[in-house]
Amino acid sequence: MRHRHTNDSDNDVVRAIRRQDKAVVLELAGEIDLHRSVKLRERLLDLTAERPDMIVINLSEVSFMDSSGLATLVEALQLCRRNGGALKLVGIQERVRSILEISRLDHIFPIFDSESEAMAS
Amino acid sequence: MTKDKPKPEIVELRIHADPAYLSIAREAIRKATEIAGLAADETDGVILAVDEALTNVIRHSYGGPCDKPIVIQIRPHGPQAAPAEALEILIRDFGRQVDPKTIKSRSLDEVRPGGLGVHIIQTVMDDVQYRCVPEGGMELRMVKRISRPDNSASIPASKSRSH
């Protein structure tokens, strides 16, 4: 299995990107609002353009997300599906899950407790 | 009767309409709601609603990030010597005015990015009122009732205001 790590500063919303075969795992961190979702959107657009089979977004270190962050994830989900791939969310904290529920998007995203479960599905 | 009379602001915060400062507003709201006695999940909801309101001001009232001001006021409601029964949050901007009747949440049946801010605010808060300020700009008044076992207070009524 091939791994490649890209580590960013603590201030970066994308803490790491790992590639495993034809899947890409993004580890996000911190608070994702209008300020920080811009960078996330750039990264996700770059990644979806590579047309990976699967993008797994690990949100276990994300403590806050607003609708601008959510919009970024919805856009990436739609791009992935258009390319025949999948986008899955992992490790969502309760306060982030609540915005998915309020927005009735919790059934649109495949959500898993762990990366291994997401990879295996 | 003092019941519906707002107490003095416990917080007034002025930030530039720049997304870089949203985290400052969120932290101030977190502390203010904790002091007022909101439960943790209610605090998270109010923080989200305020963030969405500020994001809408930056995007729509000012048309993007700029150095114009947004003023946030937080006022507890209730008898002067008792714990607050509700929290009133005012968001004041000095940007483009829109008819408050046109500020509506979009249908959630359509899955697409964006347009969820108003829906989130209306879902989280107990009362939401927009108004055009005669001197210019808009004001958003949001009220969150504070859940306590002995607190069955009604939501404080919005002041009569002309648009």
Side-chain angles (χ1 to χ4, degrees):
Chain A
M1 192 178 288
R2 186 166 61 96
H3 289 262
R4 192 171 86 199
H5 288 260
T6 305
N7 288 316
D8 298 289
S9 70
D10 285 345
N11 205 29
D12 195 337
V13 65
V14 180
R15 179 151 293 175
I17 299 175
R18 285 181 275 121
R19 295 170 196 275
Q20 299 178 12
D21 302 323
K22 289 187 176 181
V24 181
V25 179
L26 263 80
E27 290 179 23
L28 308 186
E31 300 185 323
I32 303 177
D33 59 8
L34 184 61
H35 182 52
R36 300 181 87 222
S37 63
V38 175
K39 197 162 204 172
L40 174 61
R41 182 170 184 269
E42 287 174 6
R43 293 293 192 94
L44 280 171
L45 289 179
D46 286 345
L47 284 176
T48 52
E50 296 175 16
R51 297 181 174 233
D53 288 349
M54 186 190 301
I55 294 177
V56 176
I57 301 181
N58 190 326
L59 297 167
S60 57
E61 296 298 320
V62 172
S63 57
F64 174 85
M65 185 186 296
D66 68 9
S67 67
S68 66
L70 199 52
T72 303
L73 296 185
V74 169
E75 182 183 25
L77 174 76
Q78 291 176 329
L79 286 170
C80 274
R81 287 183 175 169
R82 202 172 298 160
N83 295 336
L87 184 144
K88 301 174 182 180
L89 305 182
V90 162
I92 301 178
Q93 293 187 27
E94 193 54 42
R95 62 174 59 159
V96 174
R97 185 181 290 269
S98 69
I99 185 177
L100 282 167
E101 292 171 351
I102 290 170
S103 308
R104 297 183 206 159
L105 291 169
D106 48 325
H107 299 298
I108 304 299
F109 287 97
I111 298 172
F112 299 88
D113 290 334
S114 68
E115 289 183 14
S116 56
E117 283 179 48
M119 294 288 201
S121 70
Chain B
M1 190 173 174
T2 59
K3 187 172 180 179
D4 289 334
K5 186 179 177 184
K7 299 177 181 182
E9 299 87 43
I10 55 171
V11 174
E12 180 172 311
L13 180 66
R14 177 182 290 248
I15 61 170
H16 282 179
D18 188 314
Y21 303 121
L22 289 173
S23 60
I24 295 173
R26 288 197 300 271
E27 198 53 36
I29 294 290
R30 176 175 300 284
K31 292 296 181 190
T33 50
E34 286 173 359
I35 290 168
L38 265 73
D41 59 333
E42 292 174 329
T43 290
D44 289 339
V46 172
I47 291 168
L48 179 60
V50 171
D51 176 277
E52 296 292 345
L54 296 173
T55 295
N56 282 347
V57 168
I58 295 169
R59 279 179 159 163
H60 304 302
S61 295
Y62 288 127
C66 62
D67 60 2
K68 291 178 180 162
I70 308 174
V71 179
I72 305 144
Q73 289 183 336
I74 307 169
R75 297 175 184 160
H77 272 257
Q80 294 296 326
E85 295 169 346
L87 210 57
E88 179 187 67
I89 300 170
L90 300 174
I91 310 271
R92 173 84 164 94
D93 71 65
F94 304 86
R96 189 170 66 92
Q97 290 188 326
V98 296
D99 183 347
K101 291 198 243 5
T102 65
I103 303 173
K104 294 176 182 171
S105 60
R106 70 166 171 83
S107 168
L108 300 187
D109 294 337
E110 185 189 0
V111 178
R112 64 173 171 86
L116 293 168
V118 173
H119 168 77
I120 290 168
I121 292 166
Q122 290 176 338
T123 301
V124 167
M125 304 302 282
D126 294 309
D127 190 35
V128 178
Q129 306 275 343
Y130 292 89
R131 74 175 183 112
C132 295
V133 180
E135 294 78 18
M138 301 286 294
E139 184 182 83
L140 167 60
R141 175 184 181 269
M142 302 183 284
V143 175
K144 182 69 178 176
R145 190 185 301 118
I146 299 174
S147 301
R148 290 196 179 93
D150 58 343
N151 188 357
S152 57
S154 60
I155 299 166
S158 176
K159 292 172 194 166
S160 175
R161 284 162 175 160
S162 58
H163 287 169

